[in-house]
Amino acid sequence: MPLPSAFASELTWPDYDAAVRGGDTPILIPIGSMEQHGHHMPLHVDVLLPTEFARRAALEVGGLVAPPFTYGYKSHQKSGGGNHFSGTTSLDGATLVAALRDVVKEFARHGVRKVCLVNGHFENSWFIIEAIDLALRELRWDGITDLKVIVLSYWDFVDQAAIAKLYPNGFPGWDIEHGGVLETSLMLALYPHLVQLERAIDVEPATFPPYDVYPVKPEWTPCSGTLSSPKEASVEKGHILLEVCTRGIVDALITEFALARAEPRPMAQAS
Amino acid sequence: MPLPSAFASELTWPDYDAAVRGGDTPILIPIGSMEQHGHHMPLHVDVLLPTEFARRAALEVGGLVAPPFTYGYKSHQKSGGGNHFSGTTSLDGATLVAALRDVVKEFARHGVRKVCLVNGHFENSWFIIEAIDLALRELRWDGITDLKVIVLSYWDFVDQAAIAKLYPNGFPGWDIEHGGVLETSLMLALYPHLVQLERAIDVEPATFPPYDVYPVKPEWTPCSGTLSSPKEASVEKGHILLEVCTRGIVDALITEFALARAEPRPMAQAS
Amino acid sequence: MPLPSAFASELTWPDYDAAVRGGDTPILIPIGSMEQHGHHMPLHVDVLLPTEFARRAALEVGGLVAPPFTYGYKSHQKSGGGNHFSGTTSLDGATLVAALRDVVKEFARHGVRKVCLVNGHFENSWFIIEAIDLALRELRWDGITDLKVIVLSYWDFVDQAAIAKLYPNGFPGWDIEHGGVLETSLMLALYPHLVQLERAIDVEPATFPPYDVYPVKPEWTPCSGTLSSPKEASVEKGHILLEVCTRGIVDALITEFALARAEPRPMAQAS
Amino acid sequence: MPLPSAFASELTWPDYDAAVRGGDTPILIPIGSMEQHGHHMPLHVDVLLPTEFARRAALEVGGLVAPPFTYGYKSHQKSGGGNHFSGTTSLDGATLVAALRDVVKEFARHGVRKVCLVNGHFENSWFIIEAIDLALRELRWDGITDLKVIVLSYWDFVDQAAIAKLYPNGFPGWDIEHGGVLETSLMLALYPHLVQLERAIDVEPATFPPYDVYPVKPEWTPCSGTLSSPKEASVEKGHILLEVCTRGIVDALITEFALARAEPRPMAQAS
Amino acid sequence: MPLPSAFASELTWPDYDAAVRGGDTPILIPIGSMEQHGHHMPLHVDVLLPTEFARRAALEVGGLVAPPFTYGYKSHQKSGGGNHFSGTTSLDGATLVAALRDVVKEFARHGVRKVCLVNGHFENSWFIIEAIDLALRELRWDGITDLKVIVLSYWDFVDQAAIAKLYPNGFPGWDIEHGGVLETSLMLALYPHLVQLERAIDVEPATFPPYDVYPVKPEWTPCSGTLSSPKEASVEKGHILLEVCTRGIVDALITEFALARAEPRPMAQAS
Amino acid sequence: MPLPSAFASELTWPDYDAAVRGGDTPILIPIGSMEQHGHHMPLHVDVLLPTEFARRAALEVGGLVAPPFTYGYKSHQKSGGGNHFSGTTSLDGATLVAALRDVVKEFARHGVRKVCLVNGHFENSWFIIEAIDLALRELRWDGITDLKVIVLSYWDFVDQAAIAKLYPNGFPGWDIEHGGVLETSLMLALYPHLVQLERAIDVEPATFPPYDVYPVKPEWTPCSGTLSSPKEASVEKGHILLEVCTRGIVDALITEFALARAEPRPMAQAS
């Protein structure tokens, strides 16, 4: 019987329990942030996108999406513009580590043995890995040694073929894809009412020296807050990205968790 | 000019910045949990309800709703059934304290000086207060001494008149209102597609001795997970609750933050 | 052979060891605070009272009283007047959690398997429970899974019959029983030399809105520091309370720890 | 007007406030432990003794004694027999540091500017100093830079003349004065009903190699738990110690805090 | 007068004090790790290399090298082979953050206002940045707001021209430069006695999927522990790297710290 | 086959692994500090000396020296002059505890079962012991219960015969041996180029009252920073110390770890 929703939070506990008790159902946890994304996109891009990728992947493999982490680690200047912006609302590293550690341990207590962390905010990456390490350590102390965790950032599945289509004039590199073509195209395809492309500022790709300085020098970041221009974003590119990244995530889940593709089920709505 | 959304996360950073820079716009932070709520309601009741109250109040006073805390403190047996249930997914106390402390400090950095924490999960209460104390302490060290914080749980605004309408056969007390008439009526009024009242189990009001025991004794909690029966819940009662609690929250905001009621603005959708 | 003292701290280690090694002897840990209690009572009411209840219960069931926690969590305005008072000397939440966690683990190392936490300060409650959870978690990692913990606040055993005798003119509610009839009557019955009833201020019962504000608004708390008047306190009421609460605690211990009532033993002196 | 008690905890908050507000009244905080002290002495020697020294010194200089720390740091084998004994009930280092830091900060908030930490348990020493450092750091962040702290262990005031009287057959060194002549004599002078000298075991002075081993080797500690024999303890030696240590502590307070000796006041009872 | 050593640790405190008091002398802190580097290189490559770059840069700008961090964050599988190897000896993230935070604050207390963190271990990067953020925060609370910090990893200064010389057959990417041509060439140029190139294993460049799995799958890492082959390493390439990276670091210091190039001074020996 | 180096960090991982896997090879971890040592010695005395003792002992018993801890706990006024000096660069207690705990656990993961902590900085002592306790606790949770740890400070092996030779005019006590005859003689014997005896200040032995005061009173410490005069230091005394302390450490290792003396091996160079 298919689950009534891809979102664990929309299930009753008996339905959730039935789904996860045996350990076969994977849980996908979106990890986002509240971070400025230029003049044309809202502060929650990094929550919306991994949540949607998690939902699509969950539907394909019969998994469940956990409630997203709505706040993340501090924005770095060279990948997110810097944490000095208004709107950017971040956690200390230790806080993010503790929160994710706690949640992974709780899912393991329920019986979950397959966890996929779907990251939507580059700066979270290292703290996510520390959290996994601490969670696995404490679970080991509790005698649980068979939890398997995949951690991924959705953009890492964009392959050369897709890059060629997305950036016909040359790829500026992931480093400065903050509020640029990738994120904007995805938002246009998924949440067009939240994108105001007409307000986007057509900045040159940001260039940085090969080091960081603290306190950050605000003048290093383009005044828009984005690190490259979103002007070439489009719905079509969004669909290319949705397709390639979802496929990559699904393949990773199937490979690592030895899953079958799920029976098609009626698409649940994003809450 | 009215804000395009009650949700801070749906704003661009320049719009957010314009709204909060002067310190007059209040931020409402919903604090929830992922917790079992019986056989008839989903795991995210404690996120959905305070988020909706925050949204309604924000619209009335020109405030903004911050991203909700999607995980909360551990469920206590005598108010939430206990943390041993499947589906209940909780943070350590120190984790919740740290997360909320970090977020309050970030909003203060942006210029916010009026914060309202809208709690939807009883067990969060004491850790919320500790987080406020730590945030105010660190902000003081940063020279910020004019942040004002209101903390409330929405059900505390239900007055005797409403109780009489909600519980015509006698009020069992808030202690055991877990998954009962209050929460179920609100969910029926707001998210009926997430309520399966036909699956609700008509338990007697739970009775507990005047102490707690750890590890919890699972047999103390009704097998449904709710501490009282939701059978008398109704959409109408939900509307009574929506009205009385929203009014109470709005009045608190106006009184403590010296606010005016906002110009009516087009209702934003709950994301 | 009866123990020479109800206080573990007054025993030699061989006597203590003989008493606890088998796991049958319960340990009662009083958890107090240093907190203002109005113009008529000393700062240590919340230590003295739970220690005495623990002592009486220990004598009845053959248990031992651990050294009290002499400092507790911060005073809340609506239950203790607020932490801004002079004299009120409080711990951060994390500190109280750590201290209690450590001590519970140490008693378990000695062989204790029955621990009762006797709380005398409302605001400690949630941090006590977190401490138990962490202690049980770490003990589990050490292979100790049979520790049982009761946690109680002595006033929760006051039943309706006692309330009727204590508050013939109507019960104002536990919330504002800070430095009022309950605590003052108990102190009059036990430590009359520490009570200066003639200095008590006859305040109206405090009324608070259904939310909290931080920083606290000192004007919300009656200038006395108490939240209701102690004028109707009496030695007789103190004895009623001593009787009903001790009985309740003893019954809880006997029920949950499967104890027999102890042989009468010579009353040990409070140190 | 003399204070009604040397114990801060026995004062009402207005009396306490009047005493400390100006910053002139020193607060003495006894820091103890719950630790085995041989077959002849109770587990709370390290609380009782510094509390009594603090009380005597407070009476002489018009100071106040704070509630004692009833638990302390782990017993070291070469100074306290080791933490493996039953009855020895210890805190992690971080816990003791946090608790003392919190309390010192609270006293400073009340206006106290002269704090004396009276240690009764050798192993606490380094964590006390760390706590002071952290408290002074955070107070500095709060703009409080005039708090002065004395930290002492009472036995450090025993001079050569006293040693000659206490150990006519040669001084074995402070290192192994655990449960020996010093502590036993003081207890005999102050709390004779808590000493069972007839049960003392007449061990040879413990000898240890110039290093420590962990886990401890229980066979290194004499089976009594004391590190030297208490057989030569006496009431008279106790009085010598009381005199010399109290005088030393009082002199330190007068010198460092620029105090005058207090008017004689009626001796308050140890609670 | 030139400093007698580039190493702060080799100075007396008066010489150190004279050098740093005014705030002009930069301090360079090498941050390394103890981590396996294949069959041909020792465990301390990541300490030796940044220490030498720091020393060279310090000599050119009149700076001082602080004692290196000899342990670092856990090895990631896709950049360091994984933390499961024997020999790899790592700190928790929170530990590294705390240690670096403490040390930066201490240098600021001495008067240092220019700090450069010279990283030699990729996985340290994010924890270094968190440590800087926490140090700057606490220093701000102490009224110190003019500390400037540069953070860099030496390999980020290798430019395209150098890459062309180092990897004539194509650059495999920094990701898998663990124990490969870069590090091996540098070690050959600097510490040839610590390199046993004949024991190196000529592995194919490692390939990884675009995600991580935990616990790590040991079979993903080449059995050598390196992620690419060091066979093409040479002393000459080492000198190219020394030159280009030192120049880059020196330029960064001069630019950001507004320094002049130092008078040539006699080369101090690496300790 | 003898190891190619006494320093673990100079081994390849396969060589290290072969050495430690079976658990018989002891690891010696030098724990130092960066601390002022007067006008005549560098800041790293407390790293250099324990590292050299560890190296000598390792060569004699076939052990390995781990990378030293280059920063330590805060300097106390009465044993190190105080932490207010420029150059003294210290960690918080919790930081040192965490770092040492992590490292001990990692060595245990590799298979090491014999760890010797060689302390060179008095103030580290209590935090080292706490770190061991926490490491053993967590290792126990991982099922590792056979790790044995020796902790020592090298000067504790100086016997009466050596003292008579070192201090022919009377021994001032270890307490004030900071930058005095002991450390200076050792440095003269080992690192004469780092000693400038002509700059030493011939201070009288420092005298302190039997208590500490915080914030420290800088006038209590001799202006040199040393607590006694190094003028009587000599290379010969250094060799006496090297001999007696090395012998003591080696004997402790052999006794506690049931080791044989190692085959002589070619002396490895200190890196």
Side-chain angles (χ1 to χ4, degrees), chain C residues 57-110:
Chain C
L59 288 173
E60 292 213 28
V61 301
L64 284 170
V65 182
F69 277 61
T70 47
Y71 299 93
Y73 185 65
K74 296 158 194 166
S75 180
H76 288 183
Q77 184 161 31
K78 288 163 63 178
S79 53
N83 207 64
H84 57 295
F85 275 87
S86 184
T88 299
T89 308
S90 308
L91 304 176
D92 277 4
T95 306
L96 179 57
V97 167
L100 187 51
R101 175 203 62 194
D102 289 357
V103 165
V104 168
K105 284 167 53 191
E106 283 284 75
F107 286 128
R109 176 175 62 77
H110 305 158

Side-chain angles (χ1 to χ4, degrees), chain C:
Chain C
M1 193 189 69
L3 287 164
S5 169
F7 290 102
S9 60
E10 297 188 347
L11 301 186
T12 66
W13 77 262
D15 290 351
Y16 171 85
D17 182 42
V20 308
R21 194 190 305 131
D24 286 331
T25 300
I27 293 272
L28 296 95
I29 313 179
I31 325 269
S33 71
M34 183 177 182
E35 188 190 27
Q36 67 83 12
H37 275 77
H39 290 229
H40 68 296
M41 285 204 294
L43 297 168
H44 245 191
V45 166
D46 290 356
V47 174
L48 295 174
L49 296 182
T51 302
E52 177 60 14
F53 280 115
R55 192 183 69 89
R56 290 179 178 229
L59 288 173
E60 292 213 28
V61 301
L64 284 170
V65 182
F69 277 61
T70 47
Y71 299 93
Y73 185 65
K74 296 158 194 166
S75 180
H76 288 183
Q77 184 161 31
K78 288 163 63 178
S79 53
N83 207 64
H84 57 295
F85 275 87
S86 184
T88 299
T89 308
S90 308
L91 304 176
D92 277 4
T95 306
L96 179 57
V97 167
L100 187 51
R101 175 203 62 194
D102 289 357
V103 165
V104 168
K105 284 167 53 191
E106 283 284 75
F107 286 128
R109 176 175 62 77
H110 305 158
V112 174
R113 288 298 177 270
K114 297 170 179 176
V115 169
C116 179
L117 305 173
V118 183
N119 183 31
H121 176 64
F122 177 74
E123 288 87 342
N124 288 338
S125 309
W126 285 261
F127 300 96
I128 291 175
I129 288 174
E130 176 70 348
I132 296 169
D133 192 66
L134 300 191
L136 291 177
R137 176 193 295 173
E138 296 193 20
L139 288 169
R140 202 170 63 220
W141 293 341
D142 258 327
I144 296 177
T145 58
D146 56 348
L147 178 69
K148 195 167 179 182
V149 183
I150 298 175
V151 51
L152 56 87
S153 295
Y154 66 82
W155 56 82
D156 283 332
F157 294 92
V158 183
D159 55 23
Q160 290 304 320
I163 285 177
K165 289 183 218 161
L166 294 164
Y167 304 94
N169 303 320
F171 179 45
W174 289 131
D175 286 355
I176 57 171
E177 237 311 334
H178 179 71
V181 168
L182 176 123
E183 289 181 318
T184 307
S185 295
L186 281 165
M187 288 295 290
L188 283 172
L190 292 168
Y191 303 99
H193 65 290
L194 293 175
V195 184
Q196 307 172 61
L197 203 49
E198 70 286 1
R199 294 178 66 185
I201 300 181
D202 193 17
V203 297
E204 286 296 298
T207 56
F208 297 105
Y211 54 83
D212 292 277
V213 174
Y214 290 87
V216 295
K217 302 167 83 168
E219 66 271 22
W220 280 9
T221 304
C223 62
S224 64
T226 70
L227 300 184
S228 55
S229 172
K231 286 291 184 189
E232 301 300 320
S234 70
V235 172
E236 293 68 31
K237 291 181 178 177
H239 285 296
I240 292 170
L241 287 160
L242 279 174
E243 203 278 324
V244 68
C245 297
T246 303
R247 180 160 34 86
I249 296 170
V250 167
D251 288 349
L253 293 169
I254 288 173
T255 302
E256 298 300 335
F257 291 156
L259 300 175
R261 279 178 200 278
E263 294 299 301
R265 68 178 158 180
M267 203 75 162
Q269 276 183 288
S271 75

Side-chain angles (χ1 to χ4, degrees), chain D residues 77-78 175-176 206-213 217 219-221, chain F residues 150-153 156-157 248 251-253 255-256:
Chain D
Q77 184 160 30
K78 288 162 62 178
D175 287 356
I176 57 171
T207 55
F208 297 106
Y211 54 82
D212 293 277
V213 173
K217 302 167 84 169
E219 64 273 23
W220 280 10
T221 305
Chain F
I150 298 175
V151 51
L152 57 88
S153 294
D156 283 332
F157 293 93
D251 288 347
L253 294 168
T255 302
E256 299 300 334

